[in-house]
């Protein structure tokens, strides 16, 4: 038995999201919570679903497929981790949104698969703003080429950008990184003339600053489901 109060945590996180949005003079409804279920079992996810939560995130395709199969079909699943080409078919079939698209090769593959998929998948381009070598994502300098490739894919709906801050980043560094993603988005939007409304940024440790800098999707696991052993 888990002693984690998932429903209570979910309510507290929602309240903290709303407070952060209001402090930034934003409408709290413009920030969507993706509850990150990696390492937690389907029962825990079901508790969040029963409490009215419908958006869930996994960083591995296999886990995403497994949990999606154990939960009601009305749940929206977000693939938040790096996607390998050989898992693209399963990802397209199951996930409503792919947050970490980071290469033209992957785009080509997704576009081919999406042509026969039941719905047009939403994708976000992962950008490595911090330059941390262990993070995936393209550099800001490569972002406009990747966006151009994404916009050529008529079966994919490219809606914005995603980034992660390094684990050890200070608050000012987090602000720099998340603000950097927003400014890059603004520039890409101006240059392309295409709306990129979504900014997927912020985790348990840094979502308040991400919201202050414009996050529209926050990906939160530990603050809801409890600390992981990893
Ligand atoms: C695990 C993970 C999260 C959530 O992190 P928490 O610290 O549990 O909130 C967010 N985004 C990605 C890409 C992750 O892998």
């Amino acid at each position: 038995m888990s002693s984690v109060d998932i429903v209570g945590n979910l309510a507290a996180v929602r309240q903290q999201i709303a407070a952060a949005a209001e402090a930034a003079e934003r409408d709290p409804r413009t920030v969507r919570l993706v509850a990150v279920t990696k390492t937690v079992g389907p029962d825990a996810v079901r508790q969040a679903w029963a409490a009215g939560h419908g958006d869930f995130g996994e960083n591995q395709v296999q886990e995403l497929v497994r949990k999606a199969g154990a939960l009601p079909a009305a749940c929206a699943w977000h693939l938040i981790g790096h996607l390998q080409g050989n898992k693209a078919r399963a990802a397209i079939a199951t996930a409503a949104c792919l947050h970490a698209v980071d290469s033209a090769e992957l785009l080509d593959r997704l576009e081919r698969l999406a042509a026969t998929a039941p719905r047009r998948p939403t994708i976000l381009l992962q950008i490595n703003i911090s330059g941390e070598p262990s993070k995936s994502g393209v550099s800001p300098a490569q972002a406009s080429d990747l966006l151009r490739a994404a916009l050529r894919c008529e079966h994919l709906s490219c809606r914005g950008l995603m980034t992660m801050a390094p684990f050890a980043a200070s608050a000012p560094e987090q602000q720099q990184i998340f603000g950097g993603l927003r400014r890059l988005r603004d520039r890409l939007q101006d240059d392309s003339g295409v709306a990129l409304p979504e900014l997927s940024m912020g985790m348990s440790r840094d979502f308040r600053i991400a919201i202050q800098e414009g996050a529209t999707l926050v990906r939160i696991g530990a603050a809801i489901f409890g600390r992981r052993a990893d």
Side-chain angles (χ1 to χ4, degrees):
M1 268 305 280
S2 142
S3 58
V4 177
D5 177 10
I6 292 168
V7 175
N9 288 348
L10 197 51
V13 166
R14 288 193 168 290
Q15 214 156 48
Q16 289 159 6
I17 288 172
E22 272 154 20
E25 299 184 344
R26 298 181 54 198
D27 181 345
R29 288 171 301 187
T30 62
V31 184
R32 202 149 122 214
L33 170 60
V34 176
V36 175
T37 58
K38 65 186 183 202
T39 78
V40 309
D43 284 347
V45 187
R46 235 172 262 124
Q47 284 185 46
W49 165 259
H53 195 75
D55 283 281
F56 298 103
E58 275 291 333
N59 63 342
Q60 288 180 5
V61 175
Q62 251 165 325
E63 276 297 288
L64 186 148
V65 169
R66 186 172 78 87
K67 278 171 214 169
L71 271 291
C75 291
W77 287 89
H78 299 247
L79 182 68
I80 60 174
H82 178 73
L83 175 57
Q84 287 169 305
N86 61 353
K87 307 257 173 68
R89 185 182 298 274
I92 287 269
T94 317
C97 181
L98 310 176
H99 287 232
V101 174
D102 63 355
S103 76
E105 295 71 39
L106 181 57
L107 281 168
D108 282 346
R109 191 179 280 241
L110 291 172
E111 169 70 356
R112 261 181 285 124
L113 293 165
T116 56
R119 61 172 169 229
R120 195 156 172 249
T122 295
I123 62 162
L124 307 175
L125 306 179
Q126 185 175 3
I127 315 292
N128 186 351
I129 297 283
S130 71
E132 190 186 26
S134 66
K135 291 272 184 285
S136 27
V138 299
S139 71
Q142 297 166 312
S144 66
D145 281 349
L146 188 62
L147 176 62
R148 219 168 296 126
L151 296 178
R152 279 196 296 267
C153 298
E154 55 185 38
H155 301 103
L156 304 174
S157 174
C158 181
R159 300 280 294 160
L161 308 180
M162 179 271 211
T163 201
M164 286 173 85
F167 185 77
S170 65
E173 285 164 346
Q174 291 166 359
Q175 195 174 348
Q176 189 93 54
I177 290 162
F178 297 143
L181 191 72
R182 173 174 39 81
R183 289 186 289 275
L184 175 64
R185 184 278 307 271
D186 292 349
R187 207 159 58 235
L188 293 173
Q189 218 166 221
D190 286 349
D191 293 350
S192 68
V194 173
L196 299 168
E198 304 290 356
L199 290 173
S200 171
M201 55 191 195
M203 309 167 46
S204 292
R205 61 175 177 269
D206 53 22
F207 71 87
R208 293 170 193 81
I209 291 177
I211 290 169
Q212 177 192 312
E213 295 300 324
T216 61
L217 288 158
V218 289
R219 311 175 309 266
I220 298 179
I224 298 168
F225 296 106
R227 279 273 147 231
R228 290 177 300 272
D230 66 13

